[in-house]
């Protein structure tokens, strides 16, 4: 099993997970043309996609979903709440809910509900039967139930959205600071690092920091926070950025 990131941040998100000829794209926050370009850089054509899973209805996650699914006839899976929240409806192949499993080719996906300011936001763990890759972005808080779904992972992509101090000192209006930093907003660096610490990270081959805010975070601050909290090697941490995402990583 392997994974790659098309791009990550408030301007667009997309994560690709593959095993054999099964390709799952989680979220498509880029235009169709940009998605095609980014897939091509990873050596993949949109026609190869087995499914698109959507986490929630925010534009940075759904922008290109409708066009992509129609143009390439790719089945779309999301929660009922996410469909309700979409401005432009898409044709849905199936609904997902918290705790539900979905088989797509040689991969199996399990959905977890997260706290975020969307209708019914889900995050996913994807397994090939042996290895487990977890994604966890767009959440403002977490509890033991959520952590239980993310145990024993081989790779984790986690949101390190903002630095608490940068958000507090920055130029966002008050209501937006409250929203981003709130229980249903986004994880700051400290929260994300604490989550990984609580989860345990000794099984992880990869730890990828994602969805970093371009205004309220800096990659070296996010990295340092994880190094301080986990005591891990700074060079082991990966950061998926907005421009280039992250190239393929193979989970051994
Ligand atoms: Zn987002
Ligand atoms: Zn969001």
């Amino acid at each position: 099993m392997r994974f790659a990131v098309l791009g990550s941040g408030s301007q667009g998100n997309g994560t690709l997970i593959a095993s054999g000829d099964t390709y799952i794209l989680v979220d498509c926050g880029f235009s169709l043309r940009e998605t095609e370009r980014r897939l091509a850089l990873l050596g993949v054509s949109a026609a190869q996609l087995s499914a698109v899973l959507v986490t929630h209805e925010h534009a940075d996650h759904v922008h290109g979903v409708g066009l992509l699914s129609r143009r390439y006839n790719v089945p779309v899976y999301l929660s009922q709440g996410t469909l309700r929240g979409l401005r432009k409806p898409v044709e849905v192949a199936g609904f997902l809910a918290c705790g539900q499993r979905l088989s797509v080719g040689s991969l199996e996906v399990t959905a977890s509900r997260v706290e975020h300011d969307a209708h019914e936001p889900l995050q996913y763990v994807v397994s090939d039967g042996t290895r487990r890759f977890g994604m966890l972005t767009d959440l403002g808080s977490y509890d033991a139930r959520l952590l239980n779904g993310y145990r024993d992972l081989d790779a984790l992509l986690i949101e390190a959205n903002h630095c608490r101090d940068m958000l507090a000192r920055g130029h966002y209006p008050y209501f937006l600071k409250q929203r981003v930093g709130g229980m249903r907003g986004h994880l700051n660096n400290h929260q994300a690092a604490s989550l990984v610490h609580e989860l345990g990270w000794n099984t992880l081959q990869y730890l990828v920091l994602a969805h970093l805010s371009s205004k309220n975070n800096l990659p070296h601050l996010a990295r340092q926070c994880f190094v301080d909290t986990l005591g891990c090697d700074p060079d082991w941490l990966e950061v998926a950025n907005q421009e280039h995402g992250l190239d393929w990583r193979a989970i051994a």
Side-chain angles (χ1 to χ4, degrees):
M1 183 163 69
R2 57 198 184 121
F3 69 95
V5 182
L6 275 65
S8 184
S10 59
Q11 299 303 306
N13 293 276
T15 303
L16 198 55
I17 305 108
S19 172
D21 57 4
T22 301
Y23 289 88
I24 294 178
L25 178 63
V26 176
D27 288 333
C28 183
F30 303 99
S31 68
L32 178 61
R33 180 178 290 198
E34 186 61 15
T35 303
E36 289 168 334
R37 188 185 74 81
R38 289 177 185 244
L39 284 172
L41 288 172
L42 295 167
V44 178
S45 152
Q48 290 174 272
L49 295 176
S50 317
V52 177
L53 273 58
V54 178
T55 58
H56 65 297
E57 67 271 23
H58 291 162
D60 55 321
H61 298 264
V62 299
H63 184 69
V65 169
L67 264 184
L68 180 78
S69 70
R70 284 195 294 278
R71 178 76 51 89
Y72 292 96
N73 210 9
V74 187
V76 176
Y77 297 88
L78 39 61
S79 70
Q80 303 234 20
T82 295
L83 181 67
R84 271 202 311 281
L86 284 176
R87 284 200 209 147
K88 291 186 206 153
V90 299
E91 194 165 322
V92 177
F95 287 112
L96 292 168
C98 181
Q100 199 176 327
R101 285 162 194 266
L102 171 74
S103 288
V104 178
S106 55
L107 293 172
E108 188 182 65
V109 180
T110 308
S112 289
R113 179 73 193 259
V114 289
E115 291 296 321
H116 189 54
D117 56 355
H119 281 78
E120 190 183 351
L122 298 175
Q123 290 292 319
Y124 303 110
V125 170
V126 182
S127 174
D128 65 355
T130 312
R131 300 299 181 197
R132 279 157 54 80
F133 168 69
M135 303 183 50
L136 206 46
T137 72
D138 298 78
L139 69 166
S141 51
Y142 61 93
D143 58 15
R145 177 198 56 80
L146 180 68
L147 291 187
N148 280 335
Y150 282 80
R151 303 256 179 232
D152 302 320
L153 295 176
D154 299 282
L156 172 63
L157 177 144
I158 187 163
E159 160 171 85
N161 180 258
H162 57 279
C163 162
R164 206 170 30 196
D165 298 337
M166 281 183 74
L167 180 67
R169 285 198 305 261
H171 298 298
Y172 274 16
Y174 178 76
F175 82 91
L176 198 51
K177 289 183 180 183
Q178 293 295 108
R179 201 181 125 198
V180 169
M183 296 285 280
R184 300 182 72 225
H186 290 276
L187 292 182
N188 65 43
N189 295 338
H190 281 276
Q191 288 174 301
S194 301
L195 187 159
V196 176
H197 181 69
E198 280 181 57
L199 202 55
W201 53 282
N202 53 4
T203 61
L204 293 180
Q205 294 174 37
Y206 299 100
L207 179 56
V208 181
L209 314 188
H211 216 307
L212 271 69
S213 167
S214 60
K215 297 193 173 63
N216 300 308
N217 209 356
L218 291 166
H220 77 270
L221 290 178
R223 239 178 229 282
Q224 192 57 48
C225 187
F226 275 75
V227 169
D228 292 344
T229 306
L230 303 179
C232 62
D233 180 348
D235 294 332
W236 172 67
L237 289 169
E238 312 255 21
V239 176
N241 66 23
Q242 185 70 82
E243 255 325 284
H244 306 292
L246 186 77
D247 202 356
W248 286 111
R249 297 289 185 262
I251 303 174

